[in-house]
Amino acid sequence: SSHGVFSICLPSLLPADHSATVRGLQSIFQEQEMTETVHDTEGHGYLATFIGKNGRFAILRVHSHGLVTFDLQCCEGDDITQVDNLLNALEKKLKALLHGNVQRVKRLPALQRGAEVDRYWPTADGRLVEYDIDEVVYDKDSAYQNIKILHSQQFGNILILNGDVNLAESDLPYTQAIMGSGRECYAGKEVLILGGGDGGILCEAVKLKPKMITMLVIDGCRKHMRKTCGNVLDNLKGDCYEVLVEDCVPVLKKFVEEGRTFDYVINDLTAVPISTAPEEESTWEFLRLILDLSIKVLRSSGKYFTQGNCVNLTEALGEYEELLGKLSCKVDFSKEVVCVPSYLELWVFYTIWKK
């Protein structure tokens, strides 16, 4: 079903004004053959629902503080022109009834619920975004997570893991930022990539002639993210790289025991948790563990790169920066803010090194 919404703000209304306003609208609902049911709000303004032909359902609410809201739900196949005409007539009539006392009118685009293709995905700081998604390319549960790849007309294929937008084919700025934004020389260096199953980091790093790249990943996107990964995930071994399809924690612990070290460690496993609430504690513990192990396999002159989160999540980012001061080895850090196209928000990236 789709969902048309508009709201009007005006000075406070008395109960007598509510009934006068609603009476003035009744002719429009009668023309549309919509049956009204008035609900008791126990003195909190006026609330009525309307049921019409073609499965239309509407909610009219007049609040005492002056907000009037109207929500109209209709089913697929309904006459959109008729629906628009109804909303236009209501808006025009309300403005006339309220004698120019309207401070603001806001009409929102229709929300589509229950569609075959889900176009709505929240930003990290909880705002709802409607993407121009037109196709579900891939949707499967692996042993570790749900993996979706959806096609966007603007951003190309978008990788979504457990409901979080991870990376789109448009998002080269993300890959560049998590590799140091072109300021590093990877030639002849040893590199460890944690995660990055979209293949973007590996694809870009191979071009920079490193000595060897070791990549630890649990799920890869070889087939449907070709613009991001090129052909590097076609084989698990190349001239200067090896992809290990393994959980990174035991492998990192093994590297620590063996004394193996790297010039660069790039952690693309997970963003900083969005809150410090108790339910996020396991993710924070995982971050601490990965950080500690990664710094132990980092050479004294090496650098550790990772994503943070949305720039608006200042509390969570502050918690992460405090965490950096509590590692077993003393570190320093810098950060950079980058606009990642498909995220539709600014994203923080960290560079960390040993003191």
Side-chain angles (χ1 to χ4, degrees):
S1 68
S2 64
H3 199 96
V5 180
F6 72 72
S7 58
I8 292 180
C9 288
L10 54 147
S12 298
L13 292 174
L14 298 171
D17 297 324
H18 296 171
S19 53
T21 302
V22 173
R23 274 199 311 275
L25 298 174
Q26 280 175 339
S27 61
I28 294 174
F29 293 118
Q30 286 164 0
E31 284 170 19
Q32 295 287 327
E33 298 177 32
M34 299 185 82
T35 307
E36 178 186 27
T37 304
V38 178
H39 301 269
D40 183 7
T41 64
E42 299 181 351
H44 296 284
Y46 175 91
L47 173 64
T49 53
F50 301 84
I51 297 175
K53 56 188 178 181
N54 302 325
R56 289 180 197 162
F57 176 73
I59 304 167
L60 174 66
R61 183 139 203 179
V62 184
H63 297 263
S64 302
H65 64 273
L67 177 66
V68 179
T69 60
F70 182 75
D71 302 328
L72 175 64
Q73 298 177 20
C74 53
C75 297
E76 190 176 12
D78 202 343
D79 188 322
I80 299 303
T81 304
Q82 272 189 21
V83 171
D84 277 341
N85 288 342
L86 169 58
L87 293 172
N88 290 337
L90 277 168
E91 189 176 323
K92 185 178 178 182
K93 189 74 170 177
L94 272 168
K95 285 179 179 175
L97 288 168
L98 298 167
H99 311 297
N101 288 329
V102 175
Q103 294 173 351
R104 184 172 74 249
V105 178
K106 182 68 178 180
R107 190 148 149 193
L108 301 177
L111 298 176
Q112 295 183 8
R113 300 190 296 186
E116 188 176 333
V117 178
D118 187 357
R119 299 161 64 99
Y120 302 98
W121 299 94
T123 58
D125 59 353
R127 291 170 291 112
L128 187 62
V129 173
E130 180 177 0
Y131 285 88
D132 56 350
I133 290 166
D134 55 11
E135 183 187 355
V136 178
V137 177
Y138 183 88
D139 187 356
K140 290 254 176 89
D141 288 317
S142 77
Y144 303 95
Q145 58 200 337
N146 174 257
I147 304 167
K148 283 184 177 65
I149 298 175
L150 307 178
H151 181 262
S152 155
Q153 296 167 57
Q154 287 182 85
F155 304 122
N157 284 348
I158 304 176
L159 173 65
I160 298 177
L161 300 178
N162 287 340
D164 288 329
V165 173
N166 264 57
L167 196 83
E169 291 177 319
S170 62
D171 294 346
L172 183 60
Y174 176 101
T175 303
Q176 291 170 332
I178 205 168
M179 292 178 64
S181 295
R183 292 185 291 269
E184 304 299 322
C185 176
Y186 282 83
K189 301 292 175 61
E190 292 194 67
V191 183
L192 176 63
I193 301 172
L194 308 176
D198 52 78
I201 297 169
L202 180 61
C203 181
E204 294 304 310
V206 163
K207 298 173 187 175
L208 302 176
K209 306 284 192 282
K211 180 180 178 183
M212 187 63 188
I213 303 168
T214 304
M215 179 168 158
L216 303 176
V217 68
I218 55 173
D219 289 310
C221 300
R222 179 177 62 203
K223 184 177 178 183
H224 300 296
M225 299 288 286
R226 300 296 285 191
K227 288 181 184 173
T228 297
C229 68
N231 61 3
V232 291
L233 294 179
D234 290 353
N235 299 294
L236 296 180
K237 277 191 177 181
D239 293 340
C240 65
Y241 70 89
E242 180 179 19
V243 179
L244 303 176
V245 184
E246 296 183 48
D247 182 354
C248 69
V249 173
V251 179
L252 276 171
K253 287 179 176 176
K254 188 178 82 161
F255 287 167
V256 172
E257 286 171 13
E258 294 171 350
R260 189 170 173 189
T261 57
F262 299 87
D263 298 293
Y264 294 103
V265 178
I266 303 172
N267 176 3
D268 194 28
L269 290 167
T270 181
V272 170
I274 61 172
S275 79
T276 54
E279 57 266 25
E280 295 279 16
E281 185 56 34
S282 61
T283 312
W284 281 105
E285 284 298 332
F286 177 70
L287 266 183
R288 289 184 195 104
L289 177 62
I290 295 297
L291 260 169
D292 234 10
L293 291 170
S294 297
I295 297 301
K296 284 175 181 173
V297 300
L298 192 65
R299 289 176 184 156
S300 57
S301 59
K303 287 183 180 175
Y304 173 89
F305 296 118
T306 191
Q307 60 165 319
N309 210 310
C310 162
V311 74
N312 285 347
L313 297 174
T314 52
E315 185 182 352
L317 293 169
E319 181 81 7
Y320 181 74
E321 290 166 21
E322 278 187 34
L323 174 61
L324 294 177
K326 299 173 184 173
L327 300 178
S328 55
C329 173
K330 289 195 173 182
V331 299
D332 213 340
F333 70 91
S334 63
K335 56 186 173 181
E336 179 181 17
V337 176
V338 171
C339 181
V340 180
S342 77
Y343 288 14
L344 301 172
E345 54 189 332
L346 297 177
W347 210 252
V348 177
F349 292 85
Y350 287 95
T351 303
I352 300 163
W353 60 91
K354 292 180 179 179
K355 281 187 177 179

